[in-house]
Each structure stands twice: as structure tokens, then as C-alpha cells.
Amino acid sequence: MNNSTIYQNDFTKSSTLHVSLDWQYKFALKSQHFSETRIRGHYYLLNQFIYFSDDKTPTQESRSMHVVQGEITQNFHYKHFHLDNFILLQYSNLSRLLNLPNISTKHSFYYENFLFKKALLARIGLDLRYWTNHNPYGYDPFLAQFYVQNDIRTGMLPVLDVFLNLRVKTVRIYIKGNNLLQGIGQPAYYTAILYPGDERSFKFGVSWRFLD
């Protein structure tokens, strides 16, 4: 006896077509500062898409699904200061089945430098993430599957992390504060229904790689 669930389906073979474009440009002025730009585009055509519906049963969609994504990466570097930006725009014609945030962004601002005669590499900064409202998938641990749901929405909440990373030869030390805006007029965010993302917390870790 086990807890396995068996489905008997007669699905048509599904297929995916993926087309992408990639363009990069890097501008450098002297050796201490530069600007780097990357633009990528993706198009997906999914035929006979198979998914788990809101009643947690496998289902096949007869209509073709079109997904369009555009990515913009813009990084700036001036001496020891870095500003990295990533913006993702996306659209699905069948958002009831594949509900994506139309806009997702991540921004990192940090200072990085060698200290103490280059014996220690230090990086200190912050990460800011944001995405627009969408209906995230639900997750069923019994089935170990994500499923479509259209009742609960999440997003429109900035997530702020701060960090300090130190490296001395093969020893790495990090201190990180996760989701510091939670509780300051902002609730938790969810990666899937009933599965919250990182709560406001502080983490400390040490990694020591031994060499022969």
C-alpha cells in the first residue's frame, strides 16, 4: 500500500517552440567605470499544453499558448560602486493557465573592494525586488505538483534585503537581512498559495573550503 495517485489519460503529444534574440553592448571609460547593457527577447509557442487544473487533475489545453518575454539588464560600475538592474516584461495570452507577473524587477546596489593589502574582499549592499500582481500557482505536497488557481492574488510588494559578504582566502563569511520591509505596513509575500517567501530575518553563515 502507498499513497500514490494514478491518472489514466489519453493526451495528445504536446510541443514547445522557442525563439530568442540577444543583444549586448558594453561601454568602458578608462578602467574603473563602465556601463553594460543586455537586451533579450523570447517567444514561446506551446501546443497541447498539459497542466494541473484547480481541481488538481491533469488537463490538456486545446488552444495554442503564446508567451512573450523581454529582458533588460543594465549594469553600471564606477570605481568600487556597482548598480545592477534587471527588468523582465512578460505576457501570456492564456493567463488563466499561465498567470505571470507582467513586470518583475531586481536592483542591486553594492560596494566591493579589496582591503588590508588585498587580503580581504568585502562586498556590502542591498537588493530590491518587485513584481506586479498575479495569481501564483497552488502547490499540493501529496501530488508534489503545482496547480492553477485564480482566486488569490499576490505581488505589488517590494522586497528589500541587505547583505555583507567577506572573503579571506578560502573562508567566506556572510551576514544578510531578509525582507526588511515586512511588518512596516507590508504583509508577507507568497511564492505559491499557502507557501510564504522569506520572512523578515537575519542570517549569518561561514564557509571554509579546505585544500590539499
Side-chain angles (χ1 to χ4, degrees):
M1 294 291 292
N2 57 46
N3 292 325
S4 300
T5 300
I6 300 176
Y7 298 98
Q8 293 186 354
N9 301 291
D10 186 18
F11 289 148
T12 304
K13 183 178 180 180
S14 59
S15 63
T16 301
L17 171 67
H18 176 211
V19 179
S20 64
L21 298 174
D22 194 335
W23 178 83
Q24 298 184 64
Y25 177 75
K26 186 173 182 178
F27 172 77
L29 183 61
K30 296 182 179 180
S31 60
Q32 292 189 322
H33 48 284
F34 68 86
S35 171
E36 183 178 14
T37 305
R38 183 176 187 181
I39 299 176
R40 303 178 67 188
H42 301 273
Y43 169 73
Y44 298 88
L45 173 61
L46 296 88
N47 291 312
Q48 306 299 325
F49 180 64
I50 298 175
Y51 63 97
F52 276 73
S53 61
D54 53 5
D55 62 359
K56 304 179 183 180
T57 59
T59 308
Q60 186 166 51
E61 175 60 47
S62 60
R63 294 172 294 175
S64 296
M65 181 184 299
H66 306 272
V67 180
V68 180
Q69 295 179 321
E71 302 176 9
I72 302 174
T73 302
Q74 180 65 66
N75 299 332
F76 299 98
H77 172 201
Y78 178 73
K79 294 185 177 180
H80 301 294
F81 293 93
H82 300 258
L83 177 61
D84 299 342
N85 303 281
F86 176 78
I87 300 174
L88 172 63
L89 310 175
Q90 48 192 359
Y91 167 79
S92 168
N93 68 313
L94 298 180
S95 59
R96 179 180 60 84
L97 307 182
L98 186 62
N99 198 304
L100 304 171
N102 295 125
I103 303 174
S104 299
T105 70
K106 180 181 179 181
H107 309 277
S108 299
F109 178 70
Y110 57 94
Y111 173 88
E112 183 178 60
N113 194 11
F114 282 97
L115 305 174
F116 305 109
K117 297 182 179 181
K118 297 187 177 182
L120 181 147
L121 176 62
R123 175 186 287 189
I124 182 171
L126 58 87
D127 293 329
L128 180 66
R129 291 170 287 149
Y130 170 84
W131 55 94
T132 54
N133 273 330
H134 67 292
N135 296 330
Y137 282 113
Y139 180 75
D140 189 312
F142 175 73
L143 298 175
Q145 291 287 344
F146 290 93
Y147 62 91
V148 170
Q149 68 82 31
N150 290 283
D151 297 323
I152 301 176
R153 296 176 65 79
T154 187
M156 301 292 285
L157 300 173
V159 178
L160 177 66
D161 304 330
V162 297
F163 59 85
L164 170 64
N165 298 327
L166 304 173
R167 189 186 73 190
V168 181
K169 294 184 178 179
T170 60
V171 179
R172 297 174 182 267
I173 302 172
Y174 76 88
I175 303 172
K176 185 177 182 182
N178 290 316
N179 197 12
L180 297 185
L181 296 180
Q182 182 184 358
I184 307 176
Q186 176 175 303
Y189 71 95
Y190 290 83
T191 56
I193 297 303
L194 302 181
Y195 288 84
D198 289 334
E199 296 182 342
R200 185 171 58 181
S201 61
F202 290 91
K203 296 181 180 180
F204 170 78
V206 178
S207 173
W208 190 347
R209 183 165 57 91
F210 293 92
L211 300 177
D212 296 332

